[in-house]
Amino acid sequence: MSNTESTPLSRKRLFVMLMANAEDGANVRYLASMLASWYTEEGVLPAFMGLTPESFAAMIARFFSAATLPQAPARSDAWLSQMPEKPELEALFAETSLDDDEQREWIASILIAGCVGRRHLWEDLGLFSRLDLSAMLQENFPAMALKNEHDMKWKKFIYKQLCEREGIYACPAPTCNACADYALCFASEDQPSE
């Protein structure tokens, strides 16, 4: 289910304009949604959505070169370089990437920047729904998406993958089903966070 009904009109208009001026590509809809949110200062994405200025410009040129974009929001990205798990997240996404197309690197960088938010990952990224996030991960990082066979919340799942790579198993129970925090990890994300 999409949550576009509760989306501010300015974001909707920007999304429609981006899609009307977009090049073909599997990631265009996701990128347009995240860009529309970022330009209207929704979500947590920092300056250039977590990309370098050069990568951001390359993404716009590749997918939205015909679009007339508003002025970029004044957001900081100073904290991004201080994110201690950033190199491990980059390695995780690189290992599970569909291929070495630079758009996968862009999506990975945006996902990493979105991981610092306190809401559901799809909201922090500025996507319209959790279904969009799941589809974007399946499209770009299929090996990772396939591992989430029990539909764990994506942020928790991504960090669980990091812990498992390091041999850290923090869950107090031998299986998720027996864990007291099961509802926190597997509860529905269909509705926006409060």
Side-chain angles (χ1 to χ4, degrees):
M1 178 175 111
S2 175
N3 290 308
T4 55
E5 299 79 33
S6 63
T7 305
L9 189 57
S10 59
R11 178 180 167 201
K12 286 183 188 178
R13 285 186 186 146
L14 187 51
F15 173 76
V16 168
M17 183 278 294
L18 285 165
M19 290 302 294
N21 291 284
E23 302 296 324
D24 287 335
N27 286 308
V28 167
R29 185 177 190 285
Y30 315 125
L31 290 168
S33 174
M34 292 185 290
L35 275 166
S37 297
W38 182 72
Y39 274 112
T40 56
E41 299 192 52
E42 295 180 44
V44 301
L45 296 178
F48 302 105
M49 298 173 60
L51 302 171
T52 65
E54 298 79 17
S55 293
F56 184 83
M59 178 189 69
I60 296 300
R62 178 170 175 179
F63 293 113
F64 305 103
S65 60
T68 303
L69 297 172
Q71 181 175 340
R75 290 189 167 190
S76 173
D77 65 352
W79 55 266
L80 195 55
S81 63
Q82 302 301 314
M83 190 177 177
E85 69 275 22
K86 187 174 183 243
E88 287 82 11
L89 286 167
E90 289 170 340
L92 175 66
F93 284 112
E95 288 173 13
T96 59
S97 182
L98 177 66
D99 54 35
D100 61 357
D101 188 314
E102 65 185 344
Q103 68 181 306
R104 316 283 177 228
E105 293 175 27
W106 301 335
I107 297 289
S109 294
I110 295 167
L111 282 162
I112 291 166
C115 281
V116 301
R118 297 176 187 253
R119 302 174 80 190
H120 297 310
L121 183 55
W122 65 268
E123 293 174 295
D124 287 335
L125 292 170
L127 291 166
F128 288 119
S129 71
R130 183 176 195 267
L131 292 175
D132 285 345
L133 174 57
S134 294
M136 184 175 76
L137 286 164
Q138 289 167 0
E139 176 67 37
N140 294 282
F141 311 101
M144 181 189 299
L146 282 172
K147 286 177 125 181
N148 193 3
E149 59 190 22
H150 298 294
D151 203 25
M152 181 182 257
K153 291 181 181 180
W154 281 113
K155 229 183 263 188
K156 290 186 182 289
F157 180 79
I158 290 167
Y159 278 87
K160 182 176 182 276
Q161 298 306 298
L162 282 188
C163 289
E164 288 179 4
R165 286 167 51 99
E166 297 297 320
I168 301 168
Y169 298 94
C171 185
T175 66
C176 287
N177 291 343
C179 180
D181 290 330
Y182 183 87
L184 294 174
C185 295
F186 294 94
S188 173
E189 285 187 77
D190 293 337
Q191 297 302 316
S193 299
E194 295 300 324

